[in-house]
């Protein structure tokens, strides 16, 4: 499953879908919103936007790259858009493989590639303003 979603990510369903009798490892990466506090402000929530048609294709492309590089028998990548409150999942990556090494490596590769090639933008909303994070350079407004 490769998807951009607007609702909470059902991580349990993704892990269940990855269970296979030929795999001894299921690696799960969940990126969540954290409350990051500085001397003057704290993160209240994140907002994600995406260019949907391209983002969907790029998630699938990452899955194909993983299939070429590792013995991964199942890959799911789901990224949420819209408002994501502290503690909620922004992204979930689930990789099943016969061995743990490839599952771990493929999961890490997936999150790094998402940040490199998938057109998703994050706005951190702080108690004293906001900043866009990613390819744009910004300051709190």
């Amino acid at each position: 499953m490769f998807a951009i979603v607007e609702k909470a990510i059902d991580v349990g369903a993704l892990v269940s879908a990855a269970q296979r009798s030929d795999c001894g490892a299921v690696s799960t990466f969940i990126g969540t919103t954290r409350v990051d506090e500085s001397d003057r402000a704290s993160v209240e929530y994140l907002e994600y936007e995406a260019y949907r048609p391209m983002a969907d294709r790029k998630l699938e492309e990452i899955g194909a790259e993983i299939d070429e590089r590792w013995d991964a028998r199942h890959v799911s990548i789901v990224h949420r858009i819209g408002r994501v409150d502290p503690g909620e999942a922004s992204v979930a990556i689930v990789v099943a493989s016969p061995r743990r090494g490839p599952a771990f490596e493929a999961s890490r590769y997936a999150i790094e590639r998402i940040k490199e090639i998938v057109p998703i933008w994050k706005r951190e909303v702080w108690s004293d303003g906001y900043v866009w994070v990613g390819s744009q350079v910004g300051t709190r407004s």
Side-chain angles (χ1 to χ4, degrees):
M1 171 182 213
F2 304 98
I4 303 293
V5 299
E6 296 179 26
K7 295 182 181 179
I9 299 171
D10 186 347
V11 176
L14 294 175
V15 172
S16 292
Q19 299 291 325
R20 300 174 47 108
S21 61
D22 61 341
C23 291
V26 177
S27 176
T28 304
F29 173 83
I30 304 165
T32 61
T33 301
R34 68 181 180 274
V35 177
D36 207 1
E37 295 187 12
S38 69
D39 291 336
R40 50 175 243 190
S42 62
V43 172
E44 301 205 348
Y45 61 92
L46 303 178
E47 280 186 350
Y48 289 90
E49 293 183 9
Y51 176 54
R52 297 285 300 266
M54 182 183 242
D56 288 330
R57 285 194 307 273
K58 291 297 185 179
L59 292 180
E60 291 175 10
E61 182 180 315
I62 293 167
E65 291 171 4
I66 288 170
D67 286 343
E68 289 175 15
R69 293 181 70 167
W70 291 279
D71 184 13
R73 310 282 171 91
H74 176 92
V75 178
S76 292
I77 305 171
V78 178
H79 202 297
R80 188 169 168 189
I81 59 173
R83 181 180 171 137
V84 182
D85 290 318
E88 294 182 330
S90 299
V91 61
I93 299 165
V94 180
V95 178
S97 178
R99 304 277 184 259
R100 69 180 174 268
F104 283 132
E105 291 167 14
S107 295
R108 177 159 191 151
Y109 178 84
I111 191 63
E112 300 301 335
R113 287 294 282 162
I114 288 168
K115 293 180 176 294
E116 290 174 0
I117 68 169
V118 182
I120 297 173
W121 301 274
K122 174 176 72 173
R123 183 170 77 136
E124 292 181 357
V125 178
W126 293 72
S127 57
D128 68 346
Y130 67 88
V131 63
W132 283 99
V133 178
S135 59
Q136 298 91 2
V137 175
T139 58
R140 290 186 195 163
S141 301

